[in-house]
């Protein structure tokens, strides 16, 4: 059983890396359950639509923060905890560190209050390993526009907002160096994927 989360600023490639990592771990004989946030349950996907809809430009940061926690509480109870109880490896594309990075550092809200909220939403469930796919904000946003991937309400925040998000992630790595591993995402995709696999396999060996 292991709970792994992938984090990163926009365009960091988490979503393209995840299926390949999952396939590889399954080949190694592990039972792996991939999921994503916000989303991963019917209720949470409906909340995701509200959060990301470009029509909702007037959404207040506190509304945004609470909606992410609602989506999260549901996936934790409905999906993540039961799978971990069945000894599976759960890998989530984003988890509560995204709230600390985006709603905390990005929107410059009180970090202690944000941490209390995520604790409430998750019931205190913390990942065993969190991988930051890191790259410069400008490079990530450019990747997103060039690849014409879904452009959502969050992407439309200012470059300064996204810079604070990335700086927030790097600060979180410093605060909890045992849980976090940084993988440079500004390198050829195959090289980043190989590093990702190596990091996860090493951690799994350590647990076994
Ligand atoms: P993604 O599918 O590209 O990862 O989009 C998710 C967006 O939601 C991304 O802009 C980050 C944002 N987000 C938050 O702001 N807070 C959160 O707690 C989560 C899970 C995501």
């Amino acid at each position: 059983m292991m709970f792994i989360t992938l984090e990163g600023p926009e365009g960091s490639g988490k979503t393209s890396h995840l299926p390949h990592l999952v396939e590889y771990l399954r080949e190694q004989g592990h039972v792996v359950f991939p999921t994503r946030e916000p989303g991963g349950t019917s209720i949470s996907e409906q909340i995701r639509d509200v959060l990301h809809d470009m029509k909702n430009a007037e959404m207040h940061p506190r509304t945004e923060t609470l909606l992410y926690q609602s989506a999260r509480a549901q996936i934790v109870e409905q999906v993540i905890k039961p799978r971990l109880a069945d000894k599976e490896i759960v890998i989530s594309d984003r988890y509560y560190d995204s709230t600390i990075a985006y709603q905390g550092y990005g929107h410059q809200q009180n970090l202690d209050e944000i941490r209390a909220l995520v604790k409430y939403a998750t019931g205190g469930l913390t990942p065993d390993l969190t991988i930051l796919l890191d790259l410069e904000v400008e490079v990530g946003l450019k990747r997103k526009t060039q690849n014409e991937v879904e452009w959502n309400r969050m992407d439309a925040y200012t470059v300064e907002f996204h810079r604070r998000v990335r700086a927030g992630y790097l600060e979180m790595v410093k605060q909890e160096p045992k849980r976090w591993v940084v993988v440079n995402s500004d390198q050829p995709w195959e090289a980043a994927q190989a590093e990702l696999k190596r990091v996860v396999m090493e951690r799994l060996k350590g647990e076994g």
Side-chain angles (χ1 to χ4, degrees):
M1 162 191 124
M2 185 178 268
F3 182 24
I4 301 169
T5 56
L6 300 187
E7 294 285 348
E10 305 304 324
S12 62
K14 294 174 289 79
T15 313
S16 78
H17 279 293
L18 191 128
H20 297 269
L21 176 63
V22 169
E23 198 186 312
Y24 173 76
L25 291 173
R26 285 181 177 154
E27 282 164 15
Q28 309 297 309
H30 296 286
V31 182
V32 188
F33 190 84
T35 190
R36 71 161 178 184
E37 267 224 72
T41 73
S42 167
I43 292 173
S44 313
E45 291 287 340
Q46 291 173 63
I47 299 171
R48 179 187 179 95
D49 290 343
V50 175
L51 275 163
H52 289 180
D53 194 333
M54 293 296 286
K55 275 206 312 282
N56 293 334
E58 77 272 28
M59 191 181 292
H60 191 276
R62 288 207 302 279
T63 314
E64 183 183 293
T65 304
L66 291 168
L67 282 174
Y68 278 115
Q69 305 328 298
S70 301
R72 176 161 303 134
Q74 191 64 30
I75 192 180
V76 165
E77 295 305 326
Q78 194 179 328
V79 176
I80 301 178
K81 280 188 183 169
R83 298 278 172 177
L84 291 173
D86 281 347
K87 308 253 179 291
E88 296 184 18
I89 297 175
V90 177
I91 307 187
S92 185
D93 180 343
R94 297 195 183 280
Y95 188 51
Y96 71 69
D97 296 302
S98 285
T99 292
I100 300 175
Y102 283 77
Q103 283 66 52
Y105 287 95
H107 284 310
Q108 299 176 298
Q109 299 191 93
N110 183 292
L111 289 176
D112 289 334
E113 286 178 2
I114 297 289
R115 287 195 195 99
L117 276 179
V118 303
K119 191 168 177 204
Y120 175 73
T122 59
L125 180 69
T126 302
D128 301 294
L129 168 66
T130 301
I131 299 167
L132 174 63
L133 277 163
D134 184 46
L135 86 174
E136 298 263 343
V137 166
E138 286 78 2
V139 179
L141 289 172
K142 203 163 139 203
R143 265 192 199 170
K144 272 202 120 163
T145 35
Q146 278 173 351
N147 298 336
E148 289 176 16
V149 284
E150 174 206 30
W151 187 259
N152 63 47
R153 195 182 55 83
M154 301 299 296
D155 301 318
Y157 284 132
T158 61
V159 174
E160 286 70 31
F161 174 91
H162 290 288
R163 282 210 188 101
R164 288 196 295 273
V165 169
R166 182 186 180 217
Y169 274 128
L170 294 172
E171 182 59 35
M172 287 149 77
V173 173
K174 269 197 219 149
Q175 287 170 1
E176 274 187 276
K178 284 211 179 100
R179 177 161 68 89
W180 287 85
V181 174
V182 182
V183 168
N184 175 17
S185 178
D186 196 5
Q187 60 177 329
W189 188 90
E190 288 75 15
Q193 174 68 203
E195 211 174 314
L196 209 55
K197 286 175 182 157
R198 190 169 43 73
V199 165
V200 173
M201 287 309 286
E202 265 171 24
R203 195 58 73 104
L204 283 170
K205 274 186 209 139
E207 293 284 309

